[in-house]
Amino acid sequence: MDKGLPHVAAVAYILDMAQDKRKYISTQFEGVYYRISTKRDPRTGDYDRIYCFSYLDPFKKLHWKTVGRHSEGVRVQTARAARVEFLAELNAGRNPVINEAVTVGDAVDAYVAWARTEGKHVDKPLQQYDKHIRPRIHAVPISSVTTGMLTTIRDELSRKMMSPQSVHHHFSFLRRVINHAIRTNRWNGINPVASQGGWKMPKVDNGRLRFFTPSEAKILLDELAQRSPQLHDMALLSLKTGLRATEIFKLQWEDIDPRACVLHITAKGGERQTVHAPQSIIDMLLAYKRRPGEPVFQERGTGRPISKISKTFERAVQVIGNASTRSPYRITFHTVRHTFASWLAQSGKVTLFELKELMRHDSLTMTQRYAHLLPSQTAKKLDIIDNFLEDHS
C-alpha cells in the first residue's frame, strides 16, 4: 500500500504549490514532512513547524495528515510513529480517517439506544450528561479527547459544588459509552476516560462509617412505624436483606416468590437478581395484596411506584441524632443497608467473600470496607510482646 511513496515528495510539492502555496519539506523518515507555519513559536520566536505525513489510500490516491506543531511538543519522531500506526490500521482493513470522525456524541447515541433495548436504565445518567457535559464534549471526536479536556470538565463540575461521587458518576458514564463503542467496533483506540489513556477517575471516599446499634435500629423502626408504616416496612426490608432503596422502589408484586422465600429484584444497571428473604419479610410484603404489575410500595393515593425516600425518614432519624450533610457519619436510608453488612461482618459467621455475595458487590474491593469489623485475633496476639518481656525480665 505504501509503494511509490519515495516519489511522493516531488508530486506533493508540485500539487500543493499549485493549490495553496504550501511547501512540504522532507525529513529523514520516509513519508514524513513538515511545513513552516505563518505563526511563530511563542517560546522561541521562530516560525513554528507543522509536522505531517503522507499516505496512499486503497485507490492509490495521495493524502496528507497533520500530526501537530513543534510548539505543542510534536517532533519528527512523533510524526513517524503516528504514520506507522496509521498505516498499520489501513493494512488491517480499518479506516483511521473514519475512525477519527466518530464523536463522543455518536458513541453516546449508540450506547443509549443499545442500553434501552437491553432494559438498562440510562435516563438519569443521560439527563446529567445533557445538562453538564454535552455542551463541552458532545461534538468532539473521541480521538481528540485529551486528559486536559477531561480535567477542565472535572474542575468545572467541582466548582458547581457537585459532590465527588456525582462527578465520578459522570465520568463513569462516559467511560461506559466509549467502552461500548470499542466493543462494537464503532471506534478503535484506547479509551481516553480509562486508566490506560492516562486519565485517573475522580477519587471518591463515600464509605459510610455510621451504622446502627441494635437499640438504635429498634428506636428508628418504632418511630417510622408511627410516622409512616410503609416507610417502616421499606427500612425493615433493607435491614433484613440489604436491598438498596432503588431496588425496593422497583419491587413488583410478581417479584415475590413465597414458596422459595426469594425476591426477584431489578438491581443497578437493570440487571435482574435473586435475593433470599426471611419468611417474616415475605409475609410482610404479601400483606400488601397488590395485583400483578403493581409496585409493592406506592405513592399515597396514586398507585405509582415510589421514586425517592421521603423527608419523613430524615425527621425520624432525629430521635437518634444525625450528623452534618457531608459527614460520613450522617444517617441516610443507605445507612440501613450499611447496618445489614456491618452486623453480618461483626457476627463472625460470614467470611468476606460470603459478605460480598450477600451485598451483591461487583468486586471484593467494595466489600473490603467491612473487613475491619470481622472478628480478629490480632489484639490478643499483641500480648506476645508483653509475655516475652515478662519471661526475660
Side-chain angles (χ1 to χ4, degrees):
M1 183 176 296
D2 204 29
K3 293 179 180 179
L5 279 179
H7 306 289
V8 164
V11 176
Y13 178 82
I14 294 171
L15 289 176
D16 289 311
M17 286 296 290
Q19 293 174 3
D20 58 14
K21 308 300 182 182
R22 290 184 295 181
K23 182 177 180 180
Y24 290 83
I25 303 170
S26 62
T27 68
Q28 69 268 38
F29 298 120
E30 181 182 10
V32 178
Y33 304 84
Y34 69 88
R35 59 187 176 85
I36 304 299
S37 173
T38 57
K39 297 181 180 180
R40 295 181 181 271
D41 186 329
R43 298 173 299 177
T44 65
D46 298 329
Y47 284 105
D48 207 354
R49 287 187 179 187
I50 302 175
Y51 290 97
C52 57
F53 62 79
S54 60
Y55 69 97
L56 297 176
D57 66 19
F59 303 100
K60 304 302 180 182
K61 182 177 180 180
L62 178 69
H63 297 274
W64 292 90
K65 180 168 175 55
T66 299
V67 179
R69 293 175 174 268
H70 188 277
S71 61
E72 297 171 340
V74 176
R75 299 294 182 267
V76 64
Q77 293 85 355
T78 313
R80 182 197 184 197
R83 183 174 183 270
V84 169
E85 182 179 351
F86 189 93
L87 292 178
E89 289 289 303
L90 280 181
N91 289 327
R94 295 184 290 267
N95 191 329
V97 176
I98 295 177
N99 185 66
E100 291 178 3
V102 177
T103 66
V104 173
D106 294 331
V108 168
D109 294 341
Y111 173 78
V112 170
W114 166 81
R116 284 175 173 161
T117 60
E118 293 292 315
K120 296 181 180 294
H121 298 274
V122 291
D123 289 345
K124 184 175 180 180
L126 180 61
Q127 290 171 1
Q128 294 298 316
Y129 168 83
D130 289 341
K131 181 178 180 180
H132 299 290
I133 297 182
R134 174 186 279 267
R136 295 300 307 271
I137 205 172
H138 195 74
V140 176
I142 299 175
S143 57
S144 298
V145 176
T146 64
T147 300
M149 188 182 301
L150 297 173
T151 301
T152 299
I153 294 173
R154 181 199 64 195
D155 293 345
E156 286 182 352
L157 295 178
S158 298
R159 284 195 294 271
K160 293 178 180 178
M161 300 302 292
M162 190 174 291
S163 70
Q165 181 67 67
S166 295
V167 176
H168 190 278
H169 284 326
H170 288 354
F171 284 100
S172 293
F173 176 71
L174 271 183
R175 183 171 58 187
R176 293 196 302 274
V177 161
I178 299 177
N179 279 340
H180 178 262
I182 294 172
R183 285 195 305 271
T184 56
N185 295 318
R186 183 176 296 273
W187 185 78
N188 178 258
I190 297 176
N191 190 336
V193 197
S195 57
Q196 301 97 310
W199 169 251
K200 292 184 178 180
M201 292 289 284
K203 291 185 178 181
V204 177
D205 183 13
N206 66 334
R208 291 287 169 187
L209 300 178
R210 179 80 153 88
F211 61 92
F212 300 125
T213 65
S215 60
E216 287 177 330
K218 186 177 185 306
I219 292 172
L220 177 61
L221 289 171
D222 289 345
E223 188 71 19
L224 288 173
Q226 295 179 29
R227 294 172 178 265
S228 171
Q230 182 173 249
L231 189 53
H232 163 275
D233 291 351
M234 293 168 63
L236 187 60
L237 173 59
S238 180
L239 183 63
K240 291 195 174 185
T241 63
L243 289 187
R244 302 176 178 90
T246 53
E247 295 165 344
I248 294 174
F249 298 159
K250 297 170 187 173
L251 188 66
Q252 295 189 332
W253 181 248
E254 59 269 29
D255 293 333
I256 307 170
D257 186 345
R259 291 172 297 180
C261 275
V262 297
L263 304 175
H264 303 286
I265 66 166
T266 303
K268 290 195 304 184
E271 181 183 357
R272 293 290 286 176
Q273 296 179 352
T274 299
V275 174
H276 290 273
Q279 184 64 54
S280 60
I281 289 295
I282 297 295
D283 293 341
M284 178 188 78
L285 297 175
L286 292 176
Y288 279 86
K289 298 181 179 179
R290 305 298 189 192
R291 291 192 296 269
E294 287 187 338
V296 175
F297 300 105
Q298 303 177 3
E299 291 181 353
R300 184 180 299 176
T302 67
R304 292 194 297 265
I306 293 174
S307 58
K308 62 180 181 180
I309 298 297
S310 71
K311 296 291 184 180
T312 301
F313 185 85
E314 292 184 13
R315 291 191 289 269
V317 297
Q318 297 304 320
V319 298
I320 56 176
N322 205 356
S324 61
T325 304
R326 291 290 179 92
S327 169
Y329 296 96
R330 176 175 177 255
I331 297 172
T332 67
F333 191 85
H334 191 76
T335 306
V336 184
R337 170 175 159 86
H338 181 53
T339 300
F340 166 81
S342 300
W343 287 1
L344 286 174
Q346 286 182 318
S347 71
K349 297 180 180 179
V350 297
T351 65
L352 202 59
F353 289 97
E354 290 171 332
L355 184 58
K356 172 183 177 295
E357 296 303 312
L358 289 165
M359 291 294 286
R360 294 169 288 112
H361 284 156
D362 292 332
S363 68
L364 191 61
T365 302
M366 301 175 69
T367 318
Q368 195 69 36
R369 69 180 62 175
Y370 299 103
H372 70 285
L373 296 174
L374 296 172
S376 171
Q377 299 297 315
T378 302
K380 293 182 179 179
K381 290 179 180 179
L382 294 178
D383 293 338
I384 294 174
I385 303 299
D386 287 333
N387 295 334
F388 189 85
L389 289 173
E390 290 177 3
D391 292 343
H392 293 79
S393 59

